[in-house]
Amino acid sequence: MKLLTAKNGINGELVIPADKSISHRSIMFGAISKGTTIVNNFLKAEDCLSTIAVFKQLGVRITEKNEQIMIEGKGFEGLTAPSSRLDAGNSGTTMRLVLGILAGCPFTSEIAGDASLNRRPMERVMKPLREMGADLQGTAEAEFPPLKVTGNTLHGIEYHMPIASAQVKSAILFAALQAEGTTKIIEKEQSRNHTEEMIKQFGGKIQVEGKEIIVTGPQQLIGQEVTVPGDISSAAFYLVAASILANSEVLLKQVGINPTRTGILDVLMQMGANIEERQLDEQNQAADLIVRSAQLHACEIQGEIIPRLIDELPIIALAATQATGTTIIRDAQELKVKETNRIDATAEELTKMGANIEPTEDGLIIHGPTSLHGATVDSHGDHRIGMMLQIAALLTAEPVELLNPEAVNISYPEFFTDLAKLVQEDPS
Ligand code: S3P
């Protein structure tokens, strides 16, 4: 696919598509609660549709009417054995969180994903769930999907997380809601807290103090109405694009600004970006963001901020190619086990376009500014790599060809058409 260029900058406004993490969880919480859950502004992208398909296979009625998703929740005990293998597609969030739910359901099921997901590590969720009493087995290679789960009686545990991961934390929390006794999780670094927030929203009890989370089970949750804010991980592509392109000003509407997700704003501001927050909607933790062109400078990114911007690191790396000085990203080894190895893919593809970028064991070193040029690049089947490369292409004078562009459908099917609305026609 030939990518857009934008030598006259980008201008205009966009409503950012719904948050992927919250959309997944809205289906899961709806399914395990009693009564009806209504979801407004659900993200109809491939990953979240995988979650809907999995819960339909588990016997949950999920329908759509007037742009709202309705889930007829039956409680954990109302889920039923699927008649065929569950398919999580490309979605790590679906697979890992569903394992926490299936761990306590009294039937056997199998779950698998696409080729990328079947290569991603599952031991990180299998270990704590087994400690809680779950029966989980790899069907082929020990810690990789397809996985077989036989629901068991679960009991609470104390678990010190060896990695910062909201998916692992959430799987344990779903199991803890079904377990007898108290579960205490001690996070390595604080990761996105949507599961904790939604346990409260759905009438459950949870105690959070710093990095310690305590849940006592079993608990019965009650269906709710959920309104999903825009995804800051999708907004990130425009935050960087408008910053690094001259003559740009973009208004991004209804962006989720949960503090466990806003590392991208902190880093861009530290690099000298011009971003303003307006129309704060405190109830939905959302705001409009206005971003204008700016001269960026390098910075160092490491430590506890990493989980707050883990999915934004490829697009931050692109911003760094346009910033003055050397940007160093450390402590981000988790990038190696995302939809693709995002450290290698970012370095490899941006190098093809003329960037000066080195992969390291746990991050990237980027020397800027460099001017980027045309090339044939590859998304590696990873939505966030594909979208980052399209933003890089906006800067080039020559054409850029993207292989495997359909990867963007995982989180943002309208990405190319939305971006085209902001690209200024050349008046000459
Ligand atoms: C997610 C957690 C993060 C993130 C992923 C979505 C979630 O993964 O990268 O895109 O919704 O819980 P990890 O928990 O593996 O860090």
Side-chain angles (χ1 to χ4, degrees):
M1 171 180 179
K2 185 168 173 282
L3 295 179
L4 290 161
T5 58
K7 51 179 187 282
N8 298 318
I10 57 170
N11 285 273
E13 62 177 69
L14 277 183
V15 178
I16 293 298
D19 189 279
K20 182 157 85 70
S21 292
I22 300 175
S23 293
H24 281 300
R25 287 163 173 79
S26 68
I27 301 298
M28 297 177 187
F29 275 97
I32 61 167
S33 296
K34 280 270 165 75
T36 304
T37 286
I38 295 174
V39 188
N40 302 303
N41 196 34
F42 177 80
L43 177 68
K44 281 191 245 164
E46 281 178 12
D47 259 15
C48 301
L49 296 176
S50 293
T51 292
I52 290 191
V54 162
F55 282 91
K56 282 186 174 171
Q57 277 185 274
L58 292 169
V60 182
R61 198 171 134 78
I62 303 172
T63 52
E64 187 182 351
K65 201 172 151 194
N66 305 330
E67 293 293 303
Q68 289 182 314
I69 304 289
M70 311 248 285
I71 306 142
E72 287 174 31
K74 298 166 148 193
F76 283 106
E77 68 283 4
L79 299 179
T80 52
S83 54
S84 56
R85 186 186 265 180
L86 301 168
D87 182 4
N90 189 246
S91 174
T93 305
T94 308
M95 178 161 300
R96 295 193 176 119
L97 273 57
V98 164
L99 288 175
I101 293 173
L102 293 176
C105 296
F107 51 78
T108 297
S109 49
E110 273 187 27
I111 185 161
D114 67 5
S116 152
L117 183 53
N118 289 346
R119 282 193 299 269
R120 295 180 65 188
M122 293 298 147
E123 200 264 343
R124 52 181 60 199
V125 270
M126 292 164 76
K127 183 172 179 288
L129 293 176
R130 279 180 178 146
E131 278 182 34
M132 297 177 83
D135 179 356
L136 294 161
Q137 285 161 38
T139 53
E141 283 181 78
E143 70 157 304
F144 297 102
L147 299 174
K148 189 169 161 193
V149 195
T150 304
N152 249 341
T153 308
L154 303 177
H155 53 81
I157 55 165
E158 177 167 321
Y159 196 68
H160 290 256
M161 299 213 3
I163 44 171
S165 164
Q167 293 179 353
V168 176
K169 172 176 65 176
S170 302
I172 301 171
L173 287 172
F174 278 123
L177 289 170
Q178 306 172 73
E180 291 292 338
T182 296
T183 295
K184 182 169 174 183
I185 303 171
I186 300 97
E187 287 200 87
K188 185 163 182 252
E189 302 289 359
Q190 198 182 18
S191 60
R192 65 192 68 194
N193 66 357
H194 305 301
T195 306
E196 297 92 302
E197 297 276 300
M198 289 175 90
I199 288 177
K200 288 185 222 152
Q201 188 184 358
F202 281 72
K205 285 204 175 65
I206 179 166
Q207 253 174 278
V208 182
E209 258 175 58
K211 292 180 189 164
E212 271 187 24
I213 305 162
I214 297 175
V215 169
T216 300
Q219 293 193 28
Q220 179 64 72
L221 305 182
I222 310 291
Q224 300 292 322
E225 180 161 351
V226 176
T227 299
V228 186
D231 198 327
I232 193 162
S233 298
S234 299
F237 298 101
Y238 305 106
L239 292 172
V240 169
S243 295
I244 63 179
L245 284 159
N247 305 317
S248 297
E249 177 171 330
V250 174
L251 168 62
L252 306 171
K253 303 197 73 135
Q254 297 166 32
V255 182
I257 50 160
N258 172 316
T260 62
R261 297 286 298 281
T262 48
I264 173 92
L265 297 178
D266 298 354
V267 161
L268 286 176
M269 297 303 271
Q270 202 192 324
M271 293 175 84
N274 180 346
I275 301 172
E276 223 181 285
E277 204 176 286
R278 282 194 200 157
Q279 306 289 342
L280 180 66
D281 171 353
E282 282 188 28
Q283 205 195 335
N284 284 319
Q285 285 195 312
D288 291 354
L289 300 176
I290 299 172
V291 53
R292 302 183 181 92
S293 318
Q295 180 51 58
L296 301 184
H297 48 82
C299 71
E300 293 194 12
I301 306 167
Q302 62 203 344
E304 65 183 2
I305 198 169
I306 295 292
R308 295 179 54 231
L309 46 63
I310 188 74
D311 291 339
E312 288 66 76
L313 285 169
I315 191 69
I316 289 172
L318 171 64
T321 70
Q322 304 307 303
T324 312
T326 298
T327 294
I328 306 178
I329 301 171
R330 300 190 185 91
D331 303 325
Q333 52 274 31
E334 274 297 299
L335 288 182
K336 292 183 180 171
V337 291
K338 296 294 178 189
E339 286 82 331
T340 187
N341 178 334
R342 287 184 177 161
I343 292 181
D344 288 354
T346 301
E348 190 183 324
E349 299 307 319
L350 287 177
T351 299
K352 289 181 190 165
M353 297 179 71
N356 185 346
I357 176 167
E358 300 160 41
T360 66
E361 258 316 292
D362 66 347
L364 291 157
I365 300 175
I366 307 119
H367 307 280
T370 45
S371 89
L372 300 184
H373 56 68
T376 296
V377 291
D378 190 346
S379 75
H380 296 239
D382 182 321
H383 52 132
R384 299 203 197 280
I385 300 294
M387 290 189 275
M388 178 275 286
L389 292 168
Q390 163 60 91
I391 300 303
L394 295 177
L395 293 161
T396 64
E398 309 85 13
V400 177
E401 181 75 22
L402 177 65
L403 306 176
N404 299 308
E406 69 291 339
V408 308
N409 294 334
I410 290 297
S411 63
Y412 193 167
E414 310 81 20
F415 174 68
F416 294 113
T417 44
D418 274 1
L419 181 63
K421 291 180 204 156
L422 302 179
V423 173
Q424 302 299 294
E425 292 296 324
D426 190 341
S428 61

